[in-house]
Amino acid sequence: MDSAMPSNTVNLLETLRGWVDAGALRALDLALTRFVARKGAEADDAVLLAIALTSERNGHGHVCLDLQGALTNPQALLGRLRDDREISLRVQDALAAQLRKLSLPNWVERLAASPVISDWLGAGADDGVSPLVLAGHDAQPLLYLRRYWAYENRIRAGIRARLSDHIRVDTAVLRTQLDALFAPQDGATPAQPDWQRIACALAARSAFFIITGGPGTGKTTTVVRLLALLQGIAADADAPVLRIELAAPTGKAAARLNESITDQVRNLAGHQAPEASIPTRVKTLHRLLGTIPDSRQFRHHAAHPLPADVVVVDEASMVDVEMMARLLEAMRPDTRLILLGDKDQLSSVEAGAVLGDLCQRAARAHYRPETADWLQQASGQAIPVDFIDAGGTELDQAVVMLRKSYRFSEDGGIGALAALVNDAAPPAANAANRLGAALALFAHEQTPHRRDLGTIRALRLTETADAGFSRLMREGYGGENSYLQVMWNNAPADTADQAALDAWAKQVLEAQKRFQLLTPLREGVRGVEGLNQRIVELLHAQLLPEPALGTASSRRHWFPGRPVLMTRNDYSLNLMNGDIGVTLKVPVGGDNAAPDLSRQALRVAFPTADGGVRWVLPSRLQTVETVFAMTVHKSQGSEFTHTVLILPDKPNPVLTRELVYTAITRAKQQFTLLYSDDSVLGEALKRRVQRVSGLREV
């Protein structure tokens, strides 16, 4: 059928087919381009190339294609589809040759004239059906697939409507409530005010609000006090108790928030807002919106909105544009939305970097003088002059960055390392000096270290067969106090009842959080696949001190101690993407009073949100993977006592400062870096994620 197309179209499609074969383009990207050429009667190769690149960028997390960026930096396009497969220079050269034929005005003109593209850049009429949309502004034209353009528009409209809804608050009542919730902060000064108190004050008058900050800065503490504040204000006005929903992107993040928020609510005893008015049950966003099987739609939408007055979303950096759009669409216009998250963490796996885009100015705050004056009156906190800006936007007034870590000092250790990696302008702003400073931090680890620093160390590896790697994995997963030791040493008797089995499983699951290996890669020797295989080999004696159970086929995959990670939501099992369970050997058959001791089988224990245990047959778990090693992306929403990050032995585009920062901040007490080459670490400390979107101008 392609033979009926113009020769230039056929040639371009053949070129794109070569890029697919080279692993630089997805088959999906080619299929979309070919479909538009056939069904849309589009014969302009400049338009078809832009369509292929727009789809390719979506596959790498970008919401749209930056046309100017593509022309000036073509090497940033056509990213790897496999971590262990580099893109051929011939492919990069071929793309550069295609783009050299174009100038920005000419490319924009040809795209605007296309029958398959709606031209919003030139304020053209929108037919509502064209598969692509040209938008942005003259200095930065952006090409979108229509659905991503629609998602951004819904997000922008939902946020702008809430930013324009200025909620009136009695400052005297607010000040009284804040005084009841916040004791005077030790060490608070005009230069370092109580940002938690400021966040609560500003959020009380905002229908949309963001609280961002690194680990240990008190985001959960702040939002619990904020919810108590909102309930207290409602009670003072004799208004009904607010209906509040708490949500997180993954089951793992929801469980962690559930645990921490329960502890914080207990500390509110004596405040005007009763504990019962602040929920402690956290749902995944999918469960909150109501998943419809085999559909992209949800039960809650504009025509059937959520019955909530306030919605709080934790770990918001993991929320992609589609989910954020669906959430805003499902909320009543008068429902408040509060986002919590670390703006410097990795963005969502899917397209978009919503929290990062919305918090791009958070470090300098940009509060208007009138905002600062109001805060002084309402909260008693003075905003430092460097954070006051007469040109601050409406969005700036609805964002607070928490700046004090209550977990780590920045004098050394984990806190200092995270700050160095994350610093936009280190003492000498070049990669070599950032690398040198990081290596110096590792070299000057304090012994004995202060508890508020956290231990850091770096080990050089040549390969995963190194004695150092083997020793670290055996100690972490199978050594003293490891979860495998807890599993074997604390196993209950064969006659134990269900309560004893549950208690044992909870001990194992808690111990499993003590050590975790992270990697940036999925494929290869240093990817998830290769590392998990290697660790099973290293731990064979600890995993299988006795013959494995089950058939020969099942033994290849299931064994006592196998930790598994859910890779998709399974609502029939009430398990969510990101949930981690551990495989355990338990007696089966008979009943609790008289179990059949001659039969034992494997079951997988998962923690539940209420602190219990859910037991699942291995055969029912169709979307799990072994998780001795997990990707840094998958680790978001989790914390581990000791976190280990292993870097590739060669440069890789996936290595970024956000990735290294995210890995470091998963550690509660100890962080270990495994690397082979200074240059690879240096590249990781230099490169930042630059996702293209149009949300930076809400």
Side-chain angles (χ1 to χ4, degrees), residues 549-571:
L549 300 168
T551 65
S553 174
S554 68
R555 285 201 299 269
R556 287 200 296 269
H557 302 287
W558 292 101
F559 46 81
R562 181 193 180 195
V564 294
L565 174 79
M566 293 292 297
T567 58
R568 292 179 60 186
N569 294 337
D570 189 330
Y571 290 97

Side-chain angles (χ1 to χ4, degrees), residues 486 499 501-511 584 605 607 611-613 615:
V486 172
L501 292 174
D502 287 350
W504 169 54
K506 284 193 278 189
Q507 289 178 333
V508 175
L509 290 166
E510 190 61 32
L584 299 173
V613 175
W615 296 90

Side-chain angles (χ1 to χ4, degrees), residues 457 468-476 515 642 644 672 674:
R457 76 177 158 153
F469 178 82
S470 301
R471 183 168 54 253
L472 184 61
M473 294 301 107
R474 287 195 179 105
E475 290 174 353
F515 184 88
H642 182 183
V644 180
T672 299
L674 305 178

Side-chain angles (χ1 to χ4, degrees), residues 35 161 331 445 495 541 697:
F35 176 83
M331 292 170 56
E445 178 189 358
T495 56
E697 299 178 7

Side-chain angles (χ1 to χ4, degrees), residues 562-598:
R562 181 193 180 195
V564 294
L565 174 79
M566 293 292 297
T567 58
R568 292 179 60 186
N569 294 337
D570 189 330
Y571 290 97
S572 66
L573 297 176
N574 199 25
L575 294 173
M576 301 294 114
N577 181 15
D579 285 352
I580 292 177
V582 176
T583 311
L584 299 173
K585 183 179 66 172
V586 297
V588 296
D591 53 39
N592 286 342
D596 181 357
L597 303 183
S598 66

Side-chain angles (χ1 to χ4, degrees), residues 313-559:
V313 180
D314 192 24
E315 297 289 354
S317 62
M318 300 167 65
V319 182
D320 59 78
V321 287
E322 179 177 4
M323 181 54 76
M324 188 63 74
R326 301 284 190 194
L327 174 63
L328 282 160
E329 182 185 36
M331 292 170 56
R332 299 194 319 261
D334 62 341
T335 298
R336 296 178 188 242
L337 176 59
I338 300 166
L339 303 181
L340 305 179
D342 187 342
K343 68 181 180 63
D344 298 311
Q345 278 193 44
L346 283 168
S347 301
S348 58
V349 175
E350 302 299 329
V354 178
L355 187 72
D357 285 341
L358 298 176
C359 292
Q360 60 176 317
R361 287 158 57 92
R364 295 302 299 272
H366 300 279
Y367 297 132
R368 295 168 180 161
E370 56 268 30
T371 300
D373 291 344
W374 182 86
L375 277 169
Q376 177 75 64
Q377 179 184 4
S379 72
Q381 299 295 298
I383 297 296
V385 65
D386 289 347
F387 295 152
I388 298 176
D389 177 6
T393 66
E394 282 292 328
L395 178 60
D396 292 332
Q397 317 313 299
V399 179
V400 164
M401 178 175 166
L402 304 181
R403 300 163 193 270
K404 178 180 178 179
S405 175
Y406 295 87
R407 182 181 305 166
F408 297 121
S409 165
E410 292 190 6
D411 294 339
I414 291 173
L417 183 62
L420 173 67
V421 170
N422 198 35
D423 191 354
N430 62 67
N433 283 297
R434 193 190 295 270
L435 171 63
L439 293 176
L441 275 175
F442 283 114
H444 291 89
E445 178 189 358
Q446 297 184 21
T447 305
H449 73 279
R450 282 168 32 194
R451 186 174 180 83
D452 65 336
L453 297 181
T455 303
I456 61 172
R457 76 177 158 153
L459 299 176
R460 284 185 181 270
L461 298 179
T462 55
E463 55 186 20
T464 56
D466 280 4
F469 178 82
S470 301
R471 183 168 54 253
L472 184 61
M473 294 301 107
R474 287 195 179 105
E475 290 174 353
Y477 287 121
E480 186 178 1
N481 295 322
S482 69
Y483 87 96
L484 289 178
Q485 290 293 328
V486 172
M487 180 184 76
W488 292 118
N489 296 341
N490 296 6
D494 290 338
T495 56
D497 60 13
Q498 191 59 50
L501 292 174
D502 287 350
W504 169 54
K506 284 193 278 189
Q507 289 178 333
V508 175
L509 290 166
E510 190 61 32
Q512 193 273 335
K513 301 175 186 176
R514 292 173 185 163
F515 184 88
Q516 184 63 54
L517 176 64
L518 305 180
T519 173
L521 311 178
R522 287 208 57 82
E523 294 87 18
V525 174
R526 298 197 184 195
V528 166
E529 296 173 3
L531 288 168
N532 277 312
Q533 181 178 343
R534 173 64 178 148
I535 294 169
V536 169
E537 294 170 358
L538 288 171
L539 298 176
H540 184 78
Q542 288 95 330
L543 289 169
L544 300 172
E546 57 186 67
L549 300 168
T551 65
S553 174
S554 68
R555 285 201 299 269
R556 287 200 296 269
H557 302 287
W558 292 101
F559 46 81

Side-chain angles (χ1 to χ4, degrees), residues 242-254:
L242 297 172
R243 294 169 295 177
I244 299 170
E245 290 283 3
L246 306 176
T250 66
K252 181 170 50 179

